[in-house]
Amino acid sequence: NMICSHENKRFVEDRILAVDPEFFKIFDFTVLSGDPGQALRDPNSIVITRKIAEKYFGRTDVQGEQLKLENRHFVNINAVIENLPANTHLDFDMLIPLTLARQKGREIFPDVWHRFDEICTYVLLQKKYPHEILNPKIAALKQSFSPEWDDELYLQPITKIHTSPEIEYNMAPSMDIKLVYIFSAIAAFILLIACINFINLSTARAAHRSKEIGLRKVIGASRGGLIKQLLGESVAFSLLAFLIAALLVKVFMPVLRNLTGHNMTFHLWQHWTAILIFILFALLIGIVAGIYPAFYLSGYQPLQNIKRQNYARGQGGNLRRALVVFQFSISILLIIGTIIVYSQLSYMKNKQPGYNKENLLSIPLNMPPGEGIFSPKFENFRAELLAYPGVLGVTMACCSPEDVGTSAGEASWDGKPDDYKLLVRWNVVFFDYFETLDVPVVAGRSFSRDYPGDINEGDNRNGFILNEAAVKAMGVKDPLNINFELYNNRGPVVGVVKDFHYRSFRSNIEPMAFFINPFFNRVVLVRVEPANVQQSIRHIRETWEKFAAAYPFEYSFVSEEYEKNYAGEERILTFIQYFSALAILIACMGLFGLSAYDTEQRSREIGVRKVTGASIRSIVILLSREFSKWVLAANLIAWPVAWFVCNNWLQNFAYRINIELWVFIVAGFLAFVIAFITVAFQTVKAAMANPVEVLRYE
């Protein structure tokens, strides 16, 4: 982050990338002006995108103009490039030389081999050169310069970055490809449900088309010709559905962007290859859905079809039942998945992380170390804030507590076995950190201004506070006052704090060491009185402008940032809810059609039963009983599959719910209620029909 300004425009820019001058030899960008290849040779240079040029100057022909960084350093705009596309992991608006970033106090150590989390290295290979060949050489190179670190270095194709969450220190966050597979499978199941509906309803209506098929055969139609006709009808439906679906995707694309959190685009008509693929896919779906009804209907004997309209009654009934069972199995599976995902999400969002996240503000320090409210000025800033009744606590840290993404280093301490290696994460904090977060100290003491040795004054000497996980992993009974070392910082352990979650509940609480080094602090944490939050924020803003007027004031609530950790699960839940509703709707449409057909076929039976004294209630129960059997069978199939799928998904979380029996019972009951409501209209209508109307011609 840097403060960037031009004349009266000033913003905090958080999409600045520090790169080698050779950056443009590796990557290609659309250049609007300037020579990017030479643009970053000057340490006081910058390359900006169209968006930044228009933001500060209102135009793009700004080569040769200047921007001011951090209120005092002028840089020359040597090139302007086009805005980056949405599907790139190089997410930046500005490029500056690495040398300038180091001048600005950014933590970049290009000569230290074990700091792999700071600089991403890109290698341009000859076309079709197998990159795997270089991996052993890279491993050997790393081993010769940094043998004490266990990190594995190897080349990764750029096309794999977005779907490789297991790789650390990539330029941008990645996603789990399993989610794509899961949603694709659900979409395929929904499509399969629709195909099943078409098969079911086509075969159920066989009786109505039996005379047509018979007459066509009598006048000379071959079975092959009938199959082509019936398949043609199915393919025509599929192609029409493709056109409607393409229009719906276009209309609902904004909704899809909102659901996924990605700037997705849909330009189907501009890509003939995509159009051809989708048309072929629509043809395939039409053939798959229509092939069984085509062979089934074309196999009727013409004489029997003409003599008896109800020849098809009962034909293919077992297949239709099996297909309905399959449909409702998928629907029940999705209902169970929805309940499990919702329960796990609620569990994570409502479970206390071990610190009090409510009414806690996180204020980024968008300023160079030593300026603004850093160092001695912070004490005055803190004192003035605490003088206000609505402010309960003030401290600093390197990271906001809901997502401490620091790396882990090998720790050393008094009495550590030579053959034992322990990786411990670090968290740079300040005085009053644990008091502000309401994290209890379970042994020793908290950091205190009364102990000058607690703070690192540039000599790599400071006190340490460990979490319980670190003490347990170290295997020491009394950690207090033993000497501890991490990342060349050395000093005694002065306290132990209770474990708290500094990342999401997907991860276990790992060993962590806390120490004070003001150089690394990047956020101010302020706890406010819940009764007067807005008034307290107003006072904090006024105090900020008094001490750091040159730097914009920004803040966020830690509780809101904490919930953003689970945005991915929120999207999964929303998707499954939509998918479940769509699957159930399609299944119910098929069930409604089948129930209408079934009650029509049994109309004479119902009439006879009413004449002989059967009540409407008994007839409704009779007609609904068969559908109930189907739903019961669907539950028996869906439950074990749902348990397997959901249990595997829950393994992604270190802290998770238990899958309980009530989830399956509720899902089964919901499926039964949905099925009963679907068929109830037809069954009640048939039961209330006048038997005279049905039996008058018998």
Side-chain angles (χ1 to χ4, degrees):
N1 295 4
M2 285 188 179
I3 304 292
C4 186
S5 60
H6 173 69
E7 295 179 349
N8 60 341
K9 295 180 179 179
R10 186 182 61 176
F11 302 95
V12 176
E13 299 293 348
D14 59 357
R15 287 155 51 90
I16 302 176
L17 204 60
V19 299
D20 272 336
E22 289 76 16
F23 181 78
F24 287 99
K25 290 184 179 180
I26 302 290
F27 299 103
D28 296 321
F29 297 94
T30 302
V31 180
L32 301 181
S33 63
D35 180 6
Q38 300 297 320
L40 297 174
R41 301 289 176 186
D42 177 6
N44 295 315
S45 61
I46 190 169
V47 175
I48 64 175
T49 60
R50 173 193 290 271
K51 183 176 78 172
I52 294 297
E54 293 176 344
K55 179 178 180 179
Y56 287 92
F57 299 93
R59 51 191 172 86
T60 58
D61 55 334
V62 295
Q63 183 185 0
E65 298 279 1
Q66 287 188 325
L67 287 172
K68 185 190 290 186
L69 296 182
E70 309 209 315
N71 298 317
R72 63 183 181 184
H73 191 103
F74 286 95
V75 290
N76 300 313
I77 301 174
N78 287 349
V80 181
I81 62 175
E82 188 56 82
N83 294 332
L84 274 64
N87 59 335
T88 177
H89 78 289
L90 292 170
D91 191 19
F92 66 86
D93 289 329
M94 298 179 174
L95 296 174
I96 61 174
L98 276 167
T99 52
L100 177 59
R102 295 184 69 190
Q103 289 175 16
K104 291 299 174 187
R106 299 313 189 257
E107 189 183 11
I108 300 171
F109 304 99
D111 300 324
V112 181
W113 276 80
H114 65 264
R115 303 299 293 266
F116 306 123
D117 56 329
E118 292 161 2
I119 297 180
C120 294
T121 301
Y122 293 87
V123 182
L124 184 63
L125 305 182
Q126 296 289 345
K127 287 186 178 180
K128 299 183 180 179
Y129 187 91
H131 68 276
E132 295 87 355
I133 294 177
L134 294 179
N135 287 337
K137 298 181 180 181
I138 292 175
L141 189 67
K142 177 259 175 188
Q143 187 65 21
S144 65
F145 282 92
S146 183
E148 70 276 14
W149 297 95
D150 289 342
D151 301 65
E152 181 184 359
L153 298 185
Y154 53 90
L155 294 179
Q156 177 191 32
I158 278 187
T159 53
K160 303 292 184 183
I161 289 178
H162 186 58
T163 54
S164 300
E166 72 279 4
I167 307 298
E168 289 192 283
Y169 309 136
N170 264 324
M171 187 71 71
S174 55
M175 63 165 292
D176 193 345
I177 191 64
K178 292 178 183 177
L179 292 180
V180 178
Y181 295 150
I182 290 172
F183 289 137
S184 298
I186 293 175
F189 278 133
I190 291 175
L191 187 60
L192 186 57
I193 290 175
C195 291
I196 288 171
N197 274 357
F198 187 84
I199 295 170
N200 269 344
L201 296 177
S202 295
T203 54
R205 292 184 66 250
H208 294 281
R209 302 198 65 176
S210 59
K211 281 190 176 182
E212 173 198 344
I213 302 298
L215 287 171
R216 286 181 180 274
K217 283 194 170 184
V218 166
I219 61 177
S222 65
R223 187 179 186 188
L226 290 171
I227 290 175
K228 290 179 182 178
Q229 175 206 339
L230 295 169
L231 274 178
E233 294 175 4
S234 175
V235 168
F237 278 123
S238 183
L239 290 173
L240 180 61
F242 161 66
L243 293 175
I244 296 173
L247 292 173
L248 289 176
V249 170
K250 187 70 174 177
V251 170
F252 288 102
M253 184 53 67
V255 178
L256 194 58
R257 291 193 193 103
N258 187 49
L259 285 177
T260 60
H262 294 284
N263 187 25
M264 303 174 68
T265 57
F266 183 73
H267 301 297
L268 177 63
W269 317 117
Q270 299 177 12
H271 303 283
W272 289 104
T273 305
I275 293 176
L276 181 60
I277 291 173
F278 279 113
I279 289 176
L280 291 175
F281 186 67
L283 290 172
L284 177 63
I285 294 299
I287 292 171
V288 169
I291 194 165
Y292 176 78
F295 278 89
Y296 178 73
L297 290 171
S298 63
Y300 286 168
Q301 297 301 315
L303 186 59
Q304 291 175 315
N305 291 354
I306 294 172
K307 288 175 62 178
R308 292 190 303 166
Q309 182 178 353
N310 289 334
Y311 171 76
R313 180 181 174 184
Q315 300 294 316
N318 290 332
L319 175 64
R320 288 195 294 273
R321 293 186 186 94
L323 294 177
V324 170
V325 168
F326 181 76
Q327 282 183 317
F328 269 87
S329 297
I330 295 174
S331 299
I332 294 167
L333 173 64
L334 290 173
I335 293 173
I336 294 172
T338 301
I339 296 174
I340 293 295
V341 174
Y342 177 79
S343 300
Q344 174 66 17
L345 184 60
S346 298
Y347 169 78
M348 293 188 298
K349 291 173 69 173
N350 295 325
K351 181 178 173 62
Q352 292 302 316
Y355 64 90
N356 183 3
K357 64 181 186 295
E358 304 302 327
N359 304 305
L360 184 63
L361 272 64
S362 176
I363 306 170
L365 288 172
N366 295 312
M367 58 191 69
E371 295 192 12
I373 60 171
F374 267 107
S375 201
K377 291 184 179 180
F378 177 76
E379 294 296 341
N380 296 330
F381 175 74
R382 170 182 172 274
E384 189 152 337
L385 286 185
L386 289 174
Y388 185 75
V391 175
L392 304 179
V394 183
T395 187
M396 287 192 295
C398 68
C399 311
S400 194
E402 81 284 347
D403 188 16
V404 180
T406 54
S407 58
E410 185 176 0
S412 180
W413 61 91
D414 292 343
K416 174 182 172 294
D418 293 336
D419 59 346
Y420 182 51
K421 183 174 182 178
L422 177 63
L423 295 178
V424 177
R425 295 188 179 273
W426 59 274
N427 191 352
V428 171
V429 298
F430 202 66
F431 300 114
D432 309 306
Y433 179 81
F434 302 106
E435 292 79 2
T436 303
L437 266 63
D438 289 343
V439 175
V441 177
V442 296
R445 61 175 176 82
S446 183
F447 292 126
S448 172
R449 294 172 177 82
D450 297 331
Y451 294 85
D454 282 356
I455 188 169
N456 188 324
E457 297 290 358
D459 57 356
N460 288 344
R461 298 288 303 178
N462 48 252
F464 285 95
I465 290 179
L466 306 178
N467 66 353
E468 292 174 312
V471 174
K472 182 179 179 181
M474 290 164 59
V476 295
K477 292 184 178 179
D478 184 12
L480 297 180
N481 297 316
I482 66 172
N483 290 312
F484 185 86
E485 182 175 346
L486 181 66
Y487 281 123
N488 296 322
N489 292 279
R490 297 174 298 278
V493 176
V494 301
V496 179
V497 294
K498 192 171 183 62
D499 283 340
F500 66 91
H501 292 271
Y502 52 84
R503 289 187 295 174
S504 76
F505 283 94
R506 301 182 197 90
S507 308
N508 284 307
I509 298 177
E510 298 179 12
M512 175 167 280
F514 303 86
F515 59 96
I516 297 179
N517 186 337
F519 176 84
F520 291 98
N521 288 327
R522 288 293 177 268
V523 296
V524 173
L525 300 172
V526 182
R527 182 169 301 284
V528 296
E529 180 69 44
N532 299 294
V533 174
Q534 293 305 318
Q535 293 91 324
S536 299
I537 293 175
R538 191 178 303 114
H539 173 72
I540 296 169
R541 182 188 297 275
E542 293 170 354
T543 308
W544 175 281
E545 291 174 351
K546 178 179 177 181
F547 283 85
Y551 302 96
F553 174 77
E554 299 175 346
Y555 74 93
S556 61
F557 285 98
V558 169
S559 57
E560 294 176 355
E561 297 301 316
Y562 175 84
E563 293 194 359
K564 290 180 181 178
N565 282 331
Y566 308 108
E569 284 71 31
E570 290 272 14
R571 285 195 286 269
I572 291 174
L573 176 61
T574 305
F575 266 109
I576 293 182
Q577 287 173 334
Y578 276 101
F579 279 136
S580 300
L582 184 59
I584 292 169
L585 176 63
I586 295 174
C588 289
M589 289 169 62
L591 186 59
F592 184 84
L594 284 179
S595 64
Y597 167 78
D598 194 59
T599 53
E600 180 185 350
Q601 293 295 304
R602 301 180 68 175
S603 59
R604 291 175 178 79
E605 174 194 347
I606 295 169
V608 171
R609 288 180 179 276
K610 290 194 71 174
V611 168
T612 56
S615 65
I616 293 176
R617 178 174 174 272
S618 64
I619 292 174
V620 170
I621 293 174
L622 173 70
L623 296 175
S624 303
R625 186 181 301 163
E626 186 171 2
F627 295 108
S628 301
K629 294 178 183 177
W630 298 354
V631 176
L632 178 61
N635 276 284
L636 296 178
I637 295 171
W639 287 9
V641 176
W643 183 89
F644 176 79
V645 173
C646 293
N647 186 62
N648 276 353
W649 178 74
L650 287 171
Q651 299 308 310
N652 295 319
F653 302 91
Y655 302 88
R656 51 186 178 267
I657 61 171
N658 294 317
I659 302 178
E660 299 181 5
L661 180 61
W662 69 265
V663 174
F664 301 92
I665 295 175
V666 168
F669 178 74
L670 285 174
F672 175 81
V673 170
I674 291 169
F676 180 80
I677 293 173
T678 302
V679 303
F681 175 77
Q682 296 293 343
T683 55
V684 172
K685 178 182 176 182
M688 296 181 65
N690 188 345
V692 174
E693 297 296 329
V694 178
L695 302 174
R696 64 194 304 176
Y697 299 111
E698 295 297 316

